[in-house]
Amino acid sequence: RAQRPGGGPGPLEGDVQPFLDFVCKVYQNFPNTLKAAFDKPVAGQTRPTVRKSTESFKVVTECPLIVMFLFQLYDTYAQPNVQTLLPLMVKAINLRAPANARQQPANAALFVDFIASQVKTLSFLTYLLRGSADWVRPHKEIIPLSVVQLLVSCPHDSIAVRKELLVATRHILATDFREGFYQHVDIFLD
């Protein structure tokens, strides 16, 4: 905002909506990205070492922070795009990798990237909770369940991802969304 004297359009304003459309496309494609990442390759084929940007967990990991900055700089884009992005993001944090994805050494880094992308998405959702809780309220039941599933599935040696997950969880517990965790207390005590 400081770089926009007089509150006029910023230098990126023409690129904001196309980028937000790209982010929507990435999240719409997230279930397919998950499936393609962990499916066993057909005999004689190998997995691609470089994925399209719309099929990359690393790209998904970076998108929420950029979207948050864009919403802060160009707040007129927030409401219409949150209504589109929010259900896609909630769906993304609720997805689970196949059970065998974690056990295969070849998938270890990819699995961490998958969890990291979900945790960054969750962090963005906690940002929305602070300023726009009414938008997030329809997902009040599914977000705590997703957090618990992420806490259980996050690899123990992924310290930075685990730390960010705990910070996001703390932010959620500071809201009335904490009630959604009550039914999962047994998992925390296990």
Side-chain angles (χ1 to χ4, degrees):
R1 292 181 190 215
Q3 296 179 356
R4 296 184 306 168
L12 298 177
E13 183 137 15
D15 298 319
V16 173
Q17 192 57 54
F19 179 77
L20 293 172
D21 292 341
F22 168 78
V23 173
C24 284
K25 184 177 180 183
V26 167
Y27 277 103
Q28 286 168 343
N29 200 41
F30 197 75
N32 296 333
T33 301
L34 174 62
K35 186 175 180 338
F38 294 110
D39 270 357
K40 290 184 179 180
V42 178
Q45 292 182 334
T46 59
R47 285 195 184 114
T49 54
V50 178
R51 298 192 176 279
K52 291 194 275 182
S53 61
T54 56
E55 299 173 352
S56 167
F57 296 134
K58 289 189 183 290
V59 169
V60 175
T61 301
E62 299 303 324
C63 285
L65 184 62
I66 297 168
V67 170
M68 183 186 72
F69 287 143
L70 289 174
F71 284 173
Q72 289 174 347
L73 290 171
Y74 303 97
D75 53 354
T76 58
Y77 289 92
Q79 184 176 5
N81 286 288
V82 165
Q83 292 173 353
T84 304
L85 273 171
L86 187 60
L88 297 171
M89 289 180 156
V90 170
K91 184 178 178 181
I93 66 167
N94 198 39
L95 292 173
R96 298 292 143 243
N100 65 342
R102 204 171 171 177
Q103 282 77 28
Q104 296 180 5
N107 289 341
L110 194 59
F111 183 77
V112 170
D113 290 344
F114 167 67
I115 296 293
S117 68
Q118 289 183 303
V119 170
K120 287 287 188 180
T121 302
L122 177 66
S123 294
F124 177 79
L125 294 174
T126 62
Y127 160 75
L128 289 179
L129 266 176
R130 282 181 249 149
S132 311
D134 290 339
W135 292 346
V136 185
R137 198 159 312 285
H139 308 284
K140 190 175 182 177
E141 297 298 320
I142 201 160
I143 290 174
L145 173 63
S146 298
V147 170
V148 170
Q149 290 174 339
L150 283 168
L151 285 166
V152 169
S153 62
C154 185
H156 300 293
D157 57 345
S158 299
I159 309 277
V161 175
R162 198 169 261 292
K163 179 181 176 185
E164 186 162 355
L165 178 56
L166 290 172
V167 169
T169 304
R170 185 185 76 207
H171 288 300
I172 295 170
L173 291 173
T175 69
D176 62 339
F177 277 60
R178 72 180 153 273
E179 296 167 6
F181 287 95
Y182 296 160
Q183 61 188 333
H184 305 292
V185 168
D186 289 343
I187 295 171
F188 287 116
L189 297 176
D190 192 15

